Amino acid sequence: MTLSEIQQSFYSRTFDIEAISNLLAGVAIIAVLIIAYLIFTTIRGRRIRYKPHGSVTDEKQIWEIFHKAFEQRRPFEVQIQADAGRRRPTIRCSPEYMGQHSLTVEINGLHKLSDRWLNRAVMVFFRVRIGKLFTYYTFASRIGSIHMPRQGVCHITLPLPSSLENRQKRAFLRITPPHDLILGAALWSGKNMPEPELLTEITNWPQPTLLFLPNQIQQVHLLDISAGGIRLSIANPVVRGHNLEFFLTEQLIIMLDLFAPEQDKRLRFWLLCRIQNIWREYASRDIHIGLQFKAWGRPKEVADYGEQAGGIEWLRLSPSLEVEPMGNWIMRRHLELFREASPEDELEERATT
């Protein structure tokens, strides 16, 4: 084919302008959508990037979180701020009323709080169950008002915060028990664990694996305790001498005798625990074990005619996964420690029965 024939063929062709315009329109629409998506993701990424990590600042979201906490009846731990180097008392509170700009809580274990605590800075800790997991929050606030709606009941009101920190306070009402208030402890583990069907009858249990009796036997030590768990230490010679082995998620039973000075009596707890973590001290090779409470037991009630019923009554944890009587005992120890350090700022505690 000659050059003139090729030119003639090219000039004689016709193009479907309508088909081409539809194709171009489709390409343009796709390009616009892609550009819009890129702009949207960029703006969204910038918002996430510059949002303070672990904080909630949206007013509606904050209100919904508090609403869930009140709906689930979650306790609030109110830690009163103090000068540097001084202990900070922590009061345990129950949700009472939630307003549009404030929340009111009832103090557990206190009948009265002096007006000199008004406007005192506090840190508040609480948690909310979302699905099967707990989310922990904390915020800074001030005691806005103190009032007693009826005899023996004390309420405090706190302004709703403008932001919440999303984090777990691991020292959440956790203390090292005073030595003079630990009357004894025993631990069952491994082959010494009682059979499930024998849990209510302690007379049929094997001998404890380890014991703690003040000034006598100290095979296990209590490092700290909270309403939801306990941390133990076992010396390396004891571990080796008893051929002890511990594994994550393994279950243990601890019998713990604590003294309650305000009631002048012994408090005995049986605690079914699960091992959460295990680690060895580098220098001493001692084992430290972190335990989470799964259930708790107490001596059965007195039977008819004044005779002891015997055995153990096992109970579930509270909705906040805590041993409530243990939490009350720990709270009182917090307040006592603060009073010892600062008698002039003593909280006016009135023990509940």
Side-chain angles (χ1 to χ4, degrees), residues 110-126:
L110 293 179
H111 289 182
K112 185 180 180 182
L113 194 65
S114 171
D115 286 343
R116 66 173 174 267
W117 293 92
L118 279 172
N119 207 38
R120 181 69 68 91
V122 297
M123 289 295 296
V124 185
F125 304 88
F126 69 101

Side-chain angles (χ1 to χ4, degrees), residues 114-167:
S114 171
D115 286 343
R116 66 173 174 267
W117 293 92
L118 279 172
N119 207 38
R120 181 69 68 91
V122 297
M123 289 295 296
V124 185
F125 304 88
F126 69 101
R127 60 182 180 176
V128 175
R129 183 188 288 276
I130 301 176
K132 296 183 179 180
L133 301 176
F134 279 106
T135 301
Y136 294 79
Y137 296 98
T138 181
F139 65 93
S141 187
R142 291 185 176 275
I143 298 178
S145 65
I146 301 171
H147 53 283
M148 290 172 288
R150 56 187 182 277
Q151 183 69 28
V153 176
C154 182
H155 290 174
I156 59 174
T157 299
L158 308 171
L160 282 179
S162 58
S163 66
L164 290 175
E165 270 194 72
N166 180 357
R167 65 184 178 94

Side-chain angles (χ1 to χ4, degrees), residues 184-185 222 225 230 254-258 267-269 271 326:
L222 278 64
I225 188 170
I230 192 169
I254 295 176
M255 188 278 291
L256 187 59
D257 278 347
L258 302 173
L267 300 178
R268 171 162 290 183
F269 298 94
L271 303 161
M326 184 82 73

Side-chain angles (χ1 to χ4, degrees), residues 68-95:
K68 285 183 180 179
F70 271 68
E71 190 178 51
Q72 298 174 12
R73 301 297 300 169
R74 299 298 172 194
F76 289 79
E77 308 295 341
V78 180
Q79 185 183 78
I80 300 175
Q81 301 300 285
D83 296 335
R86 296 172 61 184
R87 293 184 176 92
R88 302 175 178 183
T90 301
I91 52 179
R92 187 180 178 86
C93 304
S94 301

